[in-house]
Amino acid sequence: MLDWLTENKIPVGDAAEVAFDWLERTGAVFFDAMSDGLEALIDGILWLMQTPHPFLVIAGFVALTWALQRSWKPCLLVALGFLFILNQDYWEETTESLTLVLSACVVCMAVGVPIGIAAAHRPRLYRAMRPVLDLMQTLPTFVYLIPAIVFFGIGMVPGLIATVIFVLPAPIRLTHLGVSSTPLHLLEAARAFGATPGQTLWKVELPYAFPQIMTGLNQTIMLSLSMVVIAALVGADGLGVPVVRALNQVNTSLGFESGIVIVVVAIMLDRMLRVERS
């Protein structure tokens, strides 16, 4: 019985290989256009991060922190964190990792927030999406790298694609949670005053869901940052490169330095985007 079961296994791997071969043949133009668009996005953000003097970039992040938090404490933390990164001589790698993280945020929020809103208004759609979202979050991230390399080659773009696939469920789920949990009395009041569905969305549901959406952005950034080491395996630049190099060389000093810098970047971004419901 056991031999028969193993000899007649369901061809999951073969079916996936056939599907990827078909996509590679028929979707070459689409994947090339997507690669060009994402590469332009990455190059633009990287230019903004690396062209100005580092102190100007640090000042911009501190100003953004003040605009979001209105407190000097997270501003000081961000400034000290960037100064520590400069002191450790990891500025270029940090800007490359931030470019990957910000690019993933742009793509994930642009795709995830509208899908989350649609799912909140259509419960059947969310029930159908939930197994797919679970699969995207639980499938080992190394598995994403295989089709990413096949379709997009080596470099930042396949790292970004793998990051987006892994991270995208977070903004979808949290946007759905925020919009669907809008109190009924707020929705009834909006309808009583003659608000259209679009006005209800923009003036009631989205403002109420804003903390959850910002939490989704926070989680998007944290999860994207956790992918920098894995993205380095497909040629993506950034802080993952010295980590992989340290692993290959069994270099404790290099690994600890680059690991601490990744932690510092994560703490800074978390403090910048922390939003609490008033």
Side-chain angles (χ1 to χ4, degrees), residues 182-246:
T182 304
L184 186 60
H185 66 272
L186 293 179
L187 299 175
E188 291 176 347
R191 297 189 189 102
F193 281 99
T196 64
Q199 291 172 329
T200 302
L201 172 65
W202 285 101
K203 296 185 177 182
V204 178
E205 292 177 327
L206 287 182
Y208 185 85
F210 181 73
Q212 280 82 7
I213 294 175
M214 288 300 295
T215 301
L217 176 60
N218 185 294
Q219 290 299 303
T220 298
I221 290 176
M222 294 298 105
L223 292 171
S224 300
L225 197 56
S226 71
M227 288 287 290
V228 296
V229 177
I230 296 175
L233 298 176
V234 293
D237 297 324
L239 292 169
V241 174
V243 174
V244 174
R245 188 183 307 125

Side-chain angles (χ1 to χ4, degrees), residues 121-239:
H121 292 156
R122 298 167 180 83
R124 288 184 179 179
L125 174 62
Y126 185 68
R127 286 197 296 269
M129 288 169 46
R130 192 157 50 189
V132 178
L133 298 177
D134 293 339
L135 178 66
M136 292 168 67
Q137 286 190 306
T138 57
L139 195 66
T141 51
F142 288 98
V143 177
Y144 301 142
L145 300 180
I146 301 171
I149 294 172
V150 171
F151 296 142
F152 302 102
I154 299 295
M156 293 285 279
V157 173
L160 175 59
I161 294 296
T163 301
V164 167
I165 295 174
F166 176 67
V167 173
L168 187 59
I172 293 176
R173 290 183 189 276
L174 286 163
T175 302
H176 168 268
L177 174 65
V179 174
S180 62
S181 63
T182 304
L184 186 60
H185 66 272
L186 293 179
L187 299 175
E188 291 176 347
R191 297 189 189 102
F193 281 99
T196 64
Q199 291 172 329
T200 302
L201 172 65
W202 285 101
K203 296 185 177 182
V204 178
E205 292 177 327
L206 287 182
Y208 185 85
F210 181 73
Q212 280 82 7
I213 294 175
M214 288 300 295
T215 301
L217 176 60
N218 185 294
Q219 290 299 303
T220 298
I221 290 176
M222 294 298 105
L223 292 171
S224 300
L225 197 56
S226 71
M227 288 287 290
V228 296
V229 177
I230 296 175
L233 298 176
V234 293
D237 297 324
L239 292 169

Side-chain angles (χ1 to χ4, degrees), residues 39-64:
E39 191 169 354
L41 173 65
I42 291 170
D43 290 342
I45 296 177
L46 192 60
W47 183 86
L48 289 174
M49 297 287 292
Q50 292 187 341
T51 302
H53 192 277
F55 286 161
L56 292 177
V57 177
I58 294 172
F61 273 96
V62 171
L64 178 61

Side-chain angles (χ1 to χ4, degrees), residues 8-93:
N8 296 274
K9 68 177 184 179
I10 300 173
V12 175
D14 293 339
E17 184 177 1
V18 170
F20 286 130
D21 288 342
W22 179 82
L23 286 173
E24 187 181 7
R25 290 194 308 271
T26 60
V29 176
F30 170 75
F31 291 122
D32 289 343
M34 180 185 294
S35 179
D36 292 340
L38 293 177
E39 191 169 354
L41 173 65
I42 291 170
D43 290 342
I45 296 177
L46 192 60
W47 183 86
L48 289 174
M49 297 287 292
Q50 292 187 341
T51 302
H53 192 277
F55 286 161
L56 292 177
V57 177
I58 294 172
F61 273 96
V62 171
L64 178 61
T65 305
W66 174 260
L68 293 173
Q69 301 296 335
R70 297 294 178 179
S71 173
W72 63 269
K73 293 180 181 180
C75 295
L76 179 61
L77 176 66
V78 170
L80 292 177
F82 275 117
L83 291 176
F84 173 77
I85 291 168
L86 282 173
N87 173 262
Q88 297 296 304
D89 196 23
Y90 278 90
W91 179 256
E92 183 176 353
E93 292 86 353

